[in-house]
Amino acid sequence: IADPANPVPLGSLWVDFGMADIEVKDGYAYVSALGNKGGGLGIVSVVSPTNLVAVGYIATPGYPKGVDVVGDYAYVAFRVRAGELAKAVDGMRALGIVGFNVTIPHKVSIIPLLDELDRLAEAIGAVNTVVNRSGRLVGYNTDAEGAARALEEAGFDVRGAKVVMVGAGGAARAIAHRLAPMARELVILNRTRDRAEELARAVGARAGGLSRAELEAELRDADLLINATPVGMWPNVDDSPVPAHMLREGMVVSGGL
């Protein structure tokens, strides 16, 4: 977070504690805090890292580093099942959480649960950052700028490049909207071809499926390959949607968001 007085997060879930007690031990975080509306003491807690229900700790199952504390703010990773997203959002609102990030698979489905979207998030049709502004949840998208900045810092110039992106979900939507106007050509490949075609129409790109023949044909002259799917994420970090033999010297490869 850039400034605790202006909490618009880029990549984390932050709890505004005021007078706070934060203790981290063995992957658990004990966090007691005064609510940001001046209410009584609120304790967010769970029994064990396997069930995320009730009394004393915030647990973060399945994450190699699930708890981080910076100043008076704590970043805690929660696993939210698809059918419980609405409950999770209500919980964030009720607890006075200042802001939180949204990851796969919730970047699109969270939109109807929010009170407002900024213009970029509305144009992209996906949200990865939510800020609680006095009880109103406002959705933002920082994936688009984050993807462009990562490539820039790596020294890759998208202008004039052929970009092949695998995936058509929330992260892919953000990347496509940011890179399509800059690239010479953007090709979106997805297991469900209809989703790739819908996104391609929205940004002026080409679309295809994930057959071996299509992958080989599009990657033959690609300058940049982007994996915008969950494949390869922790804990299956060695998995890839693209076979290694299809990668060639000089091709830049970027992971998803």
Side-chain angles (χ1 to χ4, degrees):
I1 195 164
D3 178 4
N6 183 26
V8 181
L10 299 174
S12 297
L13 179 153
W14 301 95
V15 184
D16 184 8
F17 296 111
M19 297 177 60
D21 176 21
I22 306 170
E23 182 180 353
V24 179
K25 183 178 181 181
D26 298 330
Y28 292 81
Y30 175 85
V31 182
S32 61
L34 291 177
N36 65 2
K37 297 180 180 178
L41 188 67
I43 299 179
V44 183
S45 56
V46 304
V47 173
S48 77
T50 58
N51 61 14
L52 292 180
V53 216
V55 183
Y57 290 96
I58 295 177
T60 55
Y63 291 84
K65 185 182 180 184
V67 179
D68 196 10
V69 178
V70 181
D72 287 336
Y73 294 85
Y75 168 78
V76 183
F78 290 93
R79 188 183 299 277
V80 178
R81 297 176 181 86
E84 297 179 347
L85 179 60
K87 295 178 182 178
V89 172
D90 286 343
M92 297 294 181
R93 194 193 302 264
L95 289 168
I97 302 294
V98 170
F100 54 95
N101 273 112
V102 185
T103 61
I104 293 171
H106 303 308
K107 294 185 178 186
V108 176
S109 55
I110 195 172
I111 289 177
L113 305 175
L114 304 178
D115 300 304
E116 182 182 344
L117 297 181
D118 89 322
R119 290 182 179 179
L120 180 60
E122 186 172 11
I124 291 171
V127 165
N128 77 320
T129 301
V130 178
V131 178
N132 186 345
R133 300 194 182 282
S134 301
R136 287 183 57 80
L137 299 184
V138 184
Y140 298 85
N141 192 300
T142 64
D143 280 341
E145 183 59 30
R149 189 178 301 177
L151 293 170
E152 181 181 340
E153 291 175 354
F156 183 82
D157 190 351
V158 177
R159 293 171 297 181
K162 177 181 177 179
V163 179
V164 175
M165 180 171 65
V166 179
R173 297 186 71 88
I175 296 169
H177 275 79
R178 185 68 172 85
L179 299 189
M182 304 165 61
R184 170 173 57 87
E185 183 179 19
L186 173 63
V187 182
I188 302 168
L189 304 179
N190 194 57
R191 182 177 57 183
T192 307
R193 182 186 291 267
D194 290 349
R195 294 187 66 184
E197 291 174 346
E198 182 273 329
L199 178 55
R201 285 193 297 270
V203 299
R206 287 198 296 111
L210 275 180
S211 69
R212 181 188 182 96
E214 287 173 296
L215 275 172
E216 288 182 336
E218 296 297 352
L219 291 175
R220 193 171 294 125
D221 61 343
D223 301 297
L224 171 64
L225 169 63
I226 298 176
N227 175 19
T229 76
V231 180
M233 289 186 170
W234 192 90
N236 303 310
V237 295
D238 293 326
D239 292 351
S240 172
V242 178
H245 73 269
M246 293 188 185
L247 306 180
R248 58 175 177 77
E249 186 176 354
M251 178 190 296
V252 175
V253 180
S254 173
L257 297 169

